[in-house]
Amino acid sequence: MKETAAMTRMLAVLLLLCAAAVSAEQSEPERLPVYADGIAEGSYDIQVSSDSSMFRIVHARLTVQDGSMTAELTLGGKGYRSLFMGTGVQAAVGADGECPYSVAADGSYVYTVPVSAVNVPIPCTAYSIRRSTWYDHSIVFLAETLPQKSLLVTPFAPQPCGLKDGRYTIDVRLEGGSGRAAIASPARLRVKDGLAYADIAWSSSSYDYMKVNGTTYLPVIENGSAVFTVPVLAFDRDMPVIADTTAMSQSHEIVYYLTFDSGSARKMSGPAGAAWKAGAVVCVLLAVIGCVAVCVRRKRA
């Protein structure tokens, strides 16, 4: 009996651990690829993950300039003559792009390599000085470790917002630009299938499009304001967007940052909320009637 009880407890612990692991995996947001046009020009420290503890990157600095990216990588040792951003087979046949090390002031080896994108695995092979051979690895530059204001896109795929489907209002803060522009807050928020969409109403009608993660959205004009319905890709942190204004002598794209306060979301009441509730009730009634009809037909059969 004691052995059975012990095995039962052990099984319960294992099940809890498995459930926790699955929950953690599910809560890990999906990373989206970010290319040079999604990061403001400049140089930034960035963290890089590696597929092997034997190939450890202790420091990395990403530079974005003229539509391309490079990175200075400092490894945790001095065992590699050069790096190649590709496979060992490609490097061994003499493909262009071998990146030899330079010696930093502290004696560490630094490799300057091209970066095609961040947030995605990139093949990176290293030439071992001692073994005279190429070793394949995979590295990921992590966009979330960049300064938030350097990102022009949101580096994660949208996740369920935790709100039930329906219509809400939510407080939203605008940053960026010259400071003269403003948006209406609270904003209207619509949640469908767990994903959120917001109506961003600008203080003028001079905005002819918005871009969110590279997708262009067009406005409708309401009471003299340009109003855009855009997806909410992040709550409680900066969500970068681009808005094109025609108020100047020529149209001009401006980077802004929206911050949606999840704690301020309130179910919409009044005509809009009532209309949505009525539609939901009708859908439920139709579903019930359909089920009843199916049951009646089965009984008659």
Side-chain angles (χ1 to χ4, degrees), residues 8 12 44 49 73-75 85-86 91-92 110 118 127 152 174 176 182-183 197 214 250 263 265-266 290:
T8 302
Y44 315 96
S49 68
L73 304 181
T74 304
L75 300 184
M85 301 305 284
V110 179
V118 304
Y127 188 84
L152 308 181
L174 175 73
I183 59 174
Y197 305 83
Q250 55 184 339
R266 297 290 181 269

Side-chain angles (χ1 to χ4, degrees), residues 261-297:
D261 179 7
S262 62
S264 69
R266 297 290 181 269
K267 200 69 178 286
M268 189 178 288
S269 58
W276 178 85
K277 288 181 180 178
V281 169
V282 169
C283 290
V284 171
L285 288 174
L286 289 174
V288 171
I289 291 171
C291 290
V292 170
V294 170
C295 291
V296 168
R297 284 198 299 269

Side-chain angles (χ1 to χ4, degrees), residues 133-202:
T133 190
W134 291 98
Y135 285 92
D136 284 331
H137 295 286
S138 177
I139 61 176
V140 180
F141 294 85
L142 302 175
E144 66 265 29
T145 64
L146 289 168
Q148 280 198 340
K149 291 297 192 290
S150 70
L151 287 169
L152 308 181
V153 297
T154 300
F156 294 113
Q159 289 185 293
C161 61
L163 297 172
K164 294 181 179 179
D165 284 9
R167 297 184 181 275
Y168 300 79
T169 60
I170 189 168
D171 292 342
V172 55
R173 185 178 74 249
L174 175 73
E175 292 182 306
S178 64
R180 292 193 295 269
I183 59 174
S185 180
R188 298 186 301 239
L189 186 76
R190 177 171 60 91
V191 179
K192 183 178 180 181
D193 299 328
L195 301 180
Y197 305 83
D199 291 340
I200 303 300
W202 293 86

Side-chain angles (χ1 to χ4, degrees), residues 2-27:
K2 290 183 178 180
E3 290 181 356
T4 302
M7 289 182 66
T8 302
R9 287 195 297 270
M10 184 177 295
L11 180 60
V13 170
L14 288 173
L15 288 173
L16 287 173
L17 290 174
C18 290
V22 170
S23 176
E25 185 177 351
Q26 291 176 342
S27 64

Side-chain angles (χ1 to χ4, degrees), residues 32-295:
L32 296 176
V34 179
Y35 302 96
D37 60 359
I39 305 173
E41 287 200 348
S43 294
Y44 315 96
D45 288 343
I46 186 171
Q47 292 181 20
V48 185
S49 68
S50 168
D51 64 349
S52 172
S53 60
M54 301 298 292
F55 186 73
R56 188 167 57 93
I57 298 169
V58 297
H59 183 260
R61 189 159 181 84
L62 182 75
T63 297
V64 184
Q65 186 174 9
D66 298 330
S68 61
M69 296 186 290
T70 59
E72 294 181 350
L73 304 181
T74 304
L75 300 184
K78 300 180 179 180
Y80 297 110
R81 183 192 69 191
S82 57
L83 301 183
F84 179 82
M85 301 305 284
T87 66
V89 172
Q90 292 171 323
V93 299
D96 292 336
E98 186 173 340
C99 306
Y101 69 83
S102 60
V103 182
D106 62 358
S108 59
Y109 287 3
V110 179
Y111 309 80
T112 301
V113 301
V115 179
S116 57
V118 304
N119 262 13
V120 293
I122 301 175
C124 176
T125 188
Y127 188 84
S128 170
I129 297 173
R130 185 164 64 92
R131 296 187 179 274
S132 299
T133 190
W134 291 98
Y135 285 92
D136 284 331
H137 295 286
S138 177
I139 61 176
V140 180
F141 294 85
L142 302 175
E144 66 265 29
T145 64
L146 289 168
Q148 280 198 340
K149 291 297 192 290
S150 70
L151 287 169
L152 308 181
V153 297
T154 300
F156 294 113
Q159 289 185 293
C161 61
L163 297 172
K164 294 181 179 179
D165 284 9
R167 297 184 181 275
Y168 300 79
T169 60
I170 189 168
D171 292 342
V172 55
R173 185 178 74 249
L174 175 73
E175 292 182 306
S178 64
R180 292 193 295 269
I183 59 174
S185 180
R188 298 186 301 239
L189 186 76
R190 177 171 60 91
V191 179
K192 183 178 180 181
D193 299 328
L195 301 180
Y197 305 83
D199 291 340
I200 303 300
W202 293 86
S203 53
S204 78
S205 60
S206 299
Y207 292 92
D208 58 349
Y209 64 82
M210 285 181 66
K211 290 181 180 178
V212 180
N213 274 20
T215 300
T216 299
Y217 298 87
L218 300 178
V220 295
I221 303 301
E222 295 182 8
N223 301 320
S225 297
V227 181
F228 299 81
T229 300
V230 300
V232 180
L233 304 181
F235 286 89
D236 304 316
R237 58 185 176 88
D238 292 342
M239 186 182 101
V241 300
I242 295 173
D244 187 75
T245 178
T246 59
M248 306 177 187
S249 57
Q250 55 184 339
S251 61
H252 192 67
E253 289 188 347
I254 302 175
V255 179
Y256 295 98
Y257 297 89
L258 304 177
T259 304
F260 295 89
D261 179 7
S262 62
S264 69
R266 297 290 181 269
K267 200 69 178 286
M268 189 178 288
S269 58
W276 178 85
K277 288 181 180 178
V281 169
V282 169
C283 290
V284 171
L285 288 174
L286 289 174
V288 171
I289 291 171
C291 290
V292 170
V294 170
C295 291

